[in-house]
Amino acid sequence: MLLPNAKAEAAMLEASMGEPLPPVRVIPNGSPRPTAGEPGSSSVGLEPGSFVLCVGRVEANKNQLALILACRQLDVPLMLIGAE
């Protein structure tokens, strides 16, 4: 079974493999929002929902620059976590 993160990713896999795929189920990335005091709640002085968190490799095709510019324009704190 293939577990892509989006329908578009499933379509790209199907197009690139050139043969029937095993069963596919789209599983979006994400996690439930922690409440204050729970493990995983904000430990950097920002309440959950008051900032944008972007986790992943920093690379052009992920367009983190657009995210940086949007957060700057909206005056919303941004945290980037990931390797170059």
Side-chain angles (χ1 to χ4, degrees):
M1 175 170 260
L2 293 177
L3 303 171
N5 297 122
K7 290 179 185 179
E9 186 178 7
M12 286 179 13
L13 287 169
E14 189 172 276
S16 67
M17 291 183 79
E19 58 186 59
L21 293 178
V24 175
R25 180 164 180 188
V26 175
I27 307 292
N29 286 331
S31 64
R33 178 186 288 187
T35 58
E38 283 187 353
S41 63
S42 177
S43 61
V44 293
L46 296 171
E47 290 299 316
S50 67
F51 63 98
V52 172
L53 173 64
C54 178
V55 180
R57 289 183 314 274
V58 177
E59 53 187 62
N61 69 334
K62 293 185 179 280
N63 206 6
Q64 284 102 344
L65 178 57
L67 179 61
I68 292 166
L69 296 173
C71 286
R72 182 183 294 166
Q73 183 177 9
L74 295 170
D75 196 28
V76 174
L78 170 63
M79 298 176 104
L80 294 170
I81 300 174
E84 292 182 37

